[in-house]
Amino acid sequence: MANKHKIAEPIYQKIAIDIASKIAAGKYKAGEKIYGRSMLAAHYAVSPETIRRAMFCLERVNLIEAKDK
C-alpha cells in the first residue's frame, strides 16, 4: 500500500532549488556574486542559518563556490 503522507521538504532545500533554477535560467552568471546571507535571509524571510544550509547544498553539487569574506 502506498504511503499517503507526504513528507515536507525542508525550507533550505526549497531555497536551494529556487536559487539553482535561477542559475539555470541565467539570472546568475558564472563568477557573479550572489547576494550575501543577510540579504537572502531577508528576501526569503528565513534565518541566515537557513541560507547557510541552502548554500552548502549548492556548493556540494558545484553550482556555487563560497568565497571568504
Side-chain angles (χ1 to χ4, degrees):
M1 173 155 60
N3 186 353
K4 294 182 182 182
H5 300 288
K6 185 174 181 179
I7 298 173
E9 191 171 40
I11 189 69
Y12 72 89
Q13 287 181 345
K14 291 178 182 180
I15 293 169
I17 290 167
D18 185 58
I19 293 171
S21 69
K22 289 176 180 174
I23 292 169
K27 178 168 172 136
Y28 299 118
K29 307 284 188 254
E32 180 180 18
K33 182 179 178 178
I34 295 177
Y35 297 109
R37 278 190 207 160
S38 297
M39 289 186 76
L40 288 170
H43 173 75
Y44 288 103
V46 298
S47 73
E49 175 61 18
T50 300
I51 297 300
R52 185 194 67 77
R53 292 179 77 183
M55 293 295 134
F56 181 72
C57 289
L58 295 170
E59 283 181 88
R60 282 196 338 239
V61 295
N62 296 316
L63 280 178
I64 65 168
E65 180 180 314
K67 300 282 184 179
D68 291 336
K69 295 181 181 179

